[in-house]
Amino acid sequence: MAYEEMQATPLSSIVEAFEYLADTVENGKDELHLIAFCDACALVSVLFNSLGLAFKFAELEYCAKVRGLVEASKIYPTLHNILDVDVRNGRVRCPGSLSRNLRRVRQGLDLIRALFEQFLSTYDCSLREAASSAYAQTCAPYHTWAVRAAAAAGMYALPSRDQLLISLKETDESAEFRMQRYIKAVVPVIQYIDKLYISRNITLDW
């Protein structure tokens, strides 16, 4: 049976949502609408939850930032709009700003991408090794020493590969298929977000 015909799983729902976003940004059909972006990002929280206490810090921050963007979507239609209002008010990097929230959510999406890439690189790679490498690549450069230390300690509490697959209701084969689809779909979305900052002369080193 084709994976697309199987019963929906948390990962399949995430993949479908980001493939829709990727199609939007790659084909230039429209500006990326904030509500559609938030709906897709909200689904990703289940992945952080599946990683247990080790990624609790990431889940709490990620979910809080997504909620902030959801509230903003009631006022601002697109991602362009939230950056424009913060640029106009000089609040781009301010704590609690919508631009800062978007930046942190983008990092969360990239963390999952890197985790999936490491997870799929070899079957012998433990989830702890995959998560440690993914965190070092994507989030560690922007976190304080205290947060990095807590994250490193928490890596020892990660579930095993098999436990993660069970939690996500996936097999090795279906997980590989869907993780690859997520990686492919999320990259153009991340690039789209980065270009929003760069086009406004906002650096990405924060």
Side-chain angles (χ1 to χ4, degrees):
M1 181 184 295
Y3 295 126
E4 294 91 337
E5 298 174 356
M6 291 181 175
Q7 184 177 1
T9 66
L11 190 50
S12 69
S13 298
I14 292 167
V15 166
E16 290 168 6
F18 278 92
E19 285 178 340
Y20 171 80
L21 297 184
D23 183 60
T24 299
V25 301
E26 287 186 309
N27 294 313
K29 294 178 179 177
D30 197 1
E31 291 183 6
L32 194 55
H33 285 267
L34 187 53
I35 188 62
F37 177 74
C38 289
D39 286 345
C41 292
L43 297 172
V44 176
S45 61
V46 70
L47 297 179
F48 287 110
N49 184 261
S50 297
L51 294 170
L53 291 175
F55 274 69
K56 196 64 179 178
F57 70 96
E59 179 187 3
L60 292 173
E61 179 179 51
Y62 178 87
C63 291
K65 305 310 184 193
V66 171
R67 285 195 298 271
L69 294 177
V70 169
E71 287 301 309
S73 70
K74 299 173 183 177
I75 304 172
Y76 305 108
T78 70
L79 274 65
H80 280 268
N81 297 143
I82 63 174
L83 278 166
D84 286 340
V85 72
D86 279 345
V87 168
R88 189 162 58 247
N89 295 325
R91 286 183 45 80
V92 170
R93 298 195 184 203
C94 293
S97 74
L98 299 175
S99 299
R100 192 177 186 87
N101 285 358
L102 177 60
R103 180 83 183 131
R104 294 297 175 260
V105 169
R106 172 252 186 253
Q107 288 171 354
L109 300 177
D110 202 28
L111 174 61
I112 295 299
R113 174 205 58 79
L115 174 62
F116 284 176
E117 286 184 347
Q118 293 296 320
F119 188 87
L120 297 174
S121 63
T122 171
Y123 186 79
D124 293 331
C125 178
S126 71
L127 188 57
R128 180 168 66 85
E129 292 171 327
S132 296
S133 177
Y135 175 74
Q137 289 177 37
T138 60
C139 294
Y142 310 104
H143 285 165
T144 63
W145 178 87
V147 173
R148 294 197 302 270
M155 295 297 176
Y156 291 92
L158 281 166
S160 67
R161 288 175 68 103
D162 289 343
Q163 288 171 332
L164 178 63
L165 293 176
I166 290 171
S167 176
L168 295 176
K169 302 177 182 177
E170 301 286 352
T171 64
D172 278 317
E173 293 77 14
S174 68
E176 178 177 359
F177 176 70
R178 288 168 175 150
M179 287 179 181
Q180 288 174 341
R181 284 174 61 192
Y182 172 84
I183 294 166
K184 182 179 179 181
V186 82
V187 167
V189 176
I190 289 173
Q191 292 173 340
Y192 175 88
I193 295 170
D194 286 349
K195 288 176 183 176
L196 293 180
Y197 290 88
I198 293 169
S199 66
R200 291 164 174 80
N201 297 316
I202 303 169
T203 61
L204 304 177
D205 57 347
W206 54 292

